[in-house]
Amino acid sequence: MRITSITRQVKNPERVNIFLAGKYSFSLSLDELIRERLKKDQELTEAELKKLKKISADGKLRSRSLEWLLGRPHSTREFKDYLRKKQVEAELTESLIDEFTTKGYLDDEKFAQWFTDLRQRKYKSRRAIKAELAGKGISGELAEQVLSQSNANEEEAIKEIIAKKSKSSRYRDDSLRLMKYLTSQGFNYSLVKKCLAEHKTED
């Protein structure tokens, strides 16, 4: 089949539309167009057309994946899960992971630092954060490293939670219930007991 026209997209000038026999067939990025050396009036075999459509589909997926990644930091496992839902083949998945990791768009350590900071702002315990990081595919070793570099104070976090929860009738006059809640959130029992005692003294 013959390429009858190559036009730049209006909404995305970095991509071009390829027309065969006067009808739209597929699109490519400018880099892909140059790499494949396509030009008007060029004849394509069925095999070449199939290959180019695969390049087109993979390129679109790459763009969408990068846009998704740049929305916020993500772990490698999160990215794998995203691609799995898109039913992306294993070879392309590994290729995208390698590319985005090399370019710094995918970085488990940066993700762990971002996630830890986010959770600590919500007064989450180190133990709870570590468990959540594990669920995101972050190794225990990396989680410990990131947590050890954090300046967050668990005692201050416990005190903030006690102050907030004590305003609720559910916990105001029930220290035991509040203690069970705090320990269930992963805070150290002795530290919780100490903070509760101090809070009671202040009252």
Side-chain angles (χ1 to χ4, degrees):
M1 298 184 74
R2 185 172 64 87
I3 297 177
T4 52
S5 180
I6 300 176
T7 62
R8 185 168 290 191
Q9 293 183 353
V10 176
K11 292 185 178 180
N12 185 0
E14 294 301 312
R15 292 188 71 82
V16 295
N17 294 327
I18 311 295
F19 293 80
L20 302 181
K23 295 182 179 180
Y24 170 81
S25 182
F26 57 92
S27 66
L28 295 174
S29 69
L30 291 176
D31 287 341
E32 290 164 346
L33 177 72
I34 293 170
R35 188 178 69 233
E36 298 303 318
R37 299 180 180 178
L38 299 184
K39 57 186 178 181
K40 185 180 177 182
D41 295 327
Q42 183 176 341
E43 291 288 341
L44 299 177
T45 64
E46 285 297 328
E48 288 172 332
L49 179 57
K50 183 177 179 181
K51 173 191 172 186
L52 289 167
K53 285 189 173 183
K54 176 70 166 56
I55 291 173
S56 175
D58 289 353
K60 289 177 182 178
L61 174 68
R62 179 191 177 281
S63 295
R64 289 195 297 270
S65 298
L66 181 56
E67 185 177 346
W68 182 81
L69 272 181
L70 295 178
R72 69 159 176 81
H74 290 279
S75 68
T76 302
R77 178 179 290 180
E78 284 184 323
F79 187 50
K80 282 183 178 179
D81 290 343
Y82 168 81
L83 295 177
R84 188 180 298 114
K85 289 176 182 177
K86 297 288 185 183
Q87 299 182 322
V88 179
E89 59 192 39
E91 184 177 349
L92 180 56
T93 293
E94 291 306 315
S95 175
L96 290 174
I97 288 173
D98 288 344
E99 177 187 352
F100 293 149
T101 298
T102 299
K103 292 182 177 179
Y105 300 136
L106 195 57
D107 187 318
D108 279 353
E109 184 173 351
K110 287 181 180 178
F111 165 78
Q113 290 169 341
W114 170 82
F115 188 85
T116 296
D117 181 60
L118 189 70
R119 302 308 278 167
Q120 286 178 332
R121 289 181 189 178
K122 295 183 178 181
Y123 307 117
K124 294 292 182 179
S125 68
R126 291 169 61 93
R127 188 179 300 172
I129 293 171
K130 188 174 180 180
E132 288 188 72
L133 285 171
K136 301 289 185 180
I138 303 302
S139 69
E141 183 180 356
L142 179 54
E144 281 291 348
Q145 176 188 321
V146 170
L147 284 164
S148 67
Q149 295 170 349
S150 169
N151 295 320
N153 186 311
E154 289 229 324
E155 184 171 343
E156 291 301 318
I158 293 171
K159 289 179 178 179
E160 287 285 348
I161 295 172
I162 291 174
K164 182 179 179 180
K165 293 291 183 181
S166 293
K167 295 177 183 178
S168 166
S169 58
R170 178 180 175 83
Y171 295 103
R172 187 183 301 123
D173 300 314
D174 196 338
S175 295
L176 182 59
R177 174 176 283 183
L178 186 49
M179 176 177 284
K180 286 181 178 178
Y181 171 79
L182 287 163
T183 53
S184 73
Q185 298 302 303
F187 290 107
N188 177 270
Y189 172 80
S190 298
L191 191 56
V192 169
K193 187 176 180 181
K194 173 179 177 290
C195 291
L196 282 171
E198 291 177 356
H199 179 75
K200 191 172 183 180
T201 301
E202 290 171 3
D203 288 346

